[in-house]
Amino acid sequence: MGLRDFMDAVMGRSRLPKAKSEKLFAISTASITLESSLGLKPSGYAGICFKPIGATSYESARNEIEELLEYSSKETETEFRMEKDEFDFLWAIFRDPDFEDLVANIHLVSQTLEDRGFGEQILCAIYRFDSEPEAGTAGHGTKTGAGKAVYWIYNFKQGTYYPFIPLSNRQRDSPFEFRLRTAMEREMPVEKSVEKWYPLWGIPF
């Protein structure tokens, strides 16, 4: 399943629900537990993705986002880039060693889109964590496995997070994902329905 499948699964053909950004900040405090207890260190990368917008509105929204990010990046020293993927979904991708700055910039973009009436276009925000070498245990004494990219995906339509750990050949580490849910569901709004843990292959960071 890619972004187009994700969009169809989340939104269907009915009227799109409004984006829910108020629970976005839960990842800030959760990141402390993820690193200290689970050996998952913020990679310094995060991104937000939204579906294509009409050409004129798209250019206007993109220009405003870029202007805001130019200003914001001067304050936080956050690097960013805007890019389209093969399905014309637009990504704003951030790089910053300060995790709080990443969260703040993600919220800035989502709030800008909502204020301009594009809240229904927002698909998801994604934070990448990396398992450290010789990482600690993740529940029941099981090794997390060094070197894996662990993504926490925020579904704006549901207002919930879920873990996604891609492996080779479009496989995912479901056992580890389930352990993360058990470990973190008291600290952040984890999606309860596993059927909504949509895999996003080809995340560009």
Side-chain angles (χ1 to χ4, degrees), residues 20-64:
K20 300 176 182 178
S21 59
E22 67 274 9
K23 297 180 181 179
L24 186 64
F25 290 101
I27 193 73
S28 295
T29 54
S31 66
I32 298 173
T33 300
L34 286 167
E35 183 170 6
S36 63
S37 300
L38 299 166
L40 298 179
K41 184 177 181 179
S43 70
Y45 284 93
I48 184 171
C49 178
F50 50 96
K51 63 178 290 190
I53 304 172
T56 302
S57 297
Y58 164 80
E59 289 301 329
S60 176
R62 175 170 181 157
N63 289 339
E64 183 167 343

Side-chain angles (χ1 to χ4, degrees), residues 127-198:
Y127 299 88
R128 174 174 171 163
F129 291 78
D130 294 327
S131 54
E132 300 173 329
E134 301 301 324
T137 59
H140 307 297
T142 305
K143 290 288 185 180
T144 60
K148 289 181 181 177
V150 176
Y151 295 99
W152 279 97
I153 300 174
Y154 183 74
N155 183 333
F156 280 92
K157 310 309 172 186
Q158 302 295 329
T160 54
Y161 280 95
Y162 65 90
F164 174 53
I165 308 173
L167 303 175
S168 59
N169 300 317
R170 293 210 166 193
Q171 300 296 312
R172 60 192 297 182
D173 191 342
S174 296
F176 188 10
E177 291 174 357
F178 293 149
R179 291 196 294 274
L180 286 175
R181 175 182 63 179
T182 300
M184 300 304 298
E185 58 188 354
R186 292 186 178 181
E187 294 199 34
M188 56 195 300
V190 178
E191 175 58 55
K192 297 183 183 300
S193 175
V194 177
E195 289 75 19
K196 295 179 180 178
W197 292 13
Y198 308 111

